[in-house]
Amino acid sequence: MSKILAGALAAPLLLGSVAAVPVAADSTTTTATASATGQAKKASRTVAPSRSRAPYRFGSINYNKWYAKHYMAYKYGWGKKHYRALVKLWNHESGWNQRAHNGGSGAHGIPQALPGSKMASAGKNWRSNPETQIKWGLSYIKGRYHTPASAWNSWQHKGWY
């Protein structure tokens, strides 16, 4: 292989948002193309969730679950296993209701933050905005338990997380 062609193989070209890798017409063509295509497909699945793309009404239980699923994949790379654990955890905590409030303890929102005002670090609208509560709740889980599966495991043993 010539030095010019070898240099071209080492430097991918960017065409739009997909990397195109020039290759010689041999067995490496399929591998390089499949690799670039796979990366583009994977990247497209982990875009930030947007209300305009949501299939549910903002603030509904289904919206809250949809937003959490997409945000956790986008922000932390957590997949199905962790989403299932998060659903179980927050089903028990609040039923995914952003207005859930425990009058006895003061825990508030989808993640049942105690006190609820802790969620102000994620946004001024922490009292009623499910996106703010979900962002704060996932950050809390990441910092304390590393993953939703670990948080759910802890909840099962203690009855709280």
Side-chain angles (χ1 to χ4, degrees):
M1 180 182 317
S2 73
K3 288 183 181 183
I4 294 172
L5 183 54
L9 287 174
L13 302 173
L14 293 178
L15 300 174
S17 62
V18 179
V21 181
V23 292
D26 61 15
S27 62
T28 61
T29 302
T30 305
T31 305
T33 305
S35 176
T37 305
Q39 290 171 354
K41 284 182 182 176
K42 185 175 181 179
S44 69
R45 280 183 267 166
T46 57
V47 297
S50 166
R51 286 185 203 177
S52 65
R53 291 193 308 268
Y56 307 105
R57 180 182 48 82
F58 176 79
S60 67
I61 303 297
N62 285 334
Y63 176 86
N64 297 348
K65 289 179 179 180
W66 174 86
Y67 184 84
K69 179 180 182 178
H70 289 85
Y71 184 80
M72 67 190 279
Y74 167 73
K75 179 77 175 178
Y76 302 106
W78 294 330
K80 290 179 185 179
K81 170 186 170 183
H82 297 293
Y83 176 68
R84 285 191 300 268
L86 184 71
V87 168
K88 291 174 189 175
L89 180 65
W90 287 353
N91 277 347
H92 283 282
E93 290 295 311
S94 64
W96 291 85
N97 180 352
Q98 67 269 19
R99 292 174 296 280
H101 185 78
N102 182 323
S105 69
H108 185 78
I110 295 168
Q112 287 292 282
L114 181 61
S117 59
K118 284 201 264 187
M119 291 187 288
S121 64
K124 292 179 183 180
N125 56 0
W126 63 268
R127 285 179 183 84
S128 60
N129 189 306
E131 293 174 359
T132 300
Q133 294 177 8
I134 289 165
K135 288 175 182 178
W136 182 89
L138 292 174
S139 175
Y140 170 78
I141 288 170
K142 175 70 174 168
R144 181 156 182 153
Y145 299 99
H146 306 290
T147 67
S150 294
W152 171 238
N153 186 47
S154 180
W155 192 96
Q156 289 178 297
H157 288 92
K158 299 185 291 187
W160 57 274
Y161 78 111

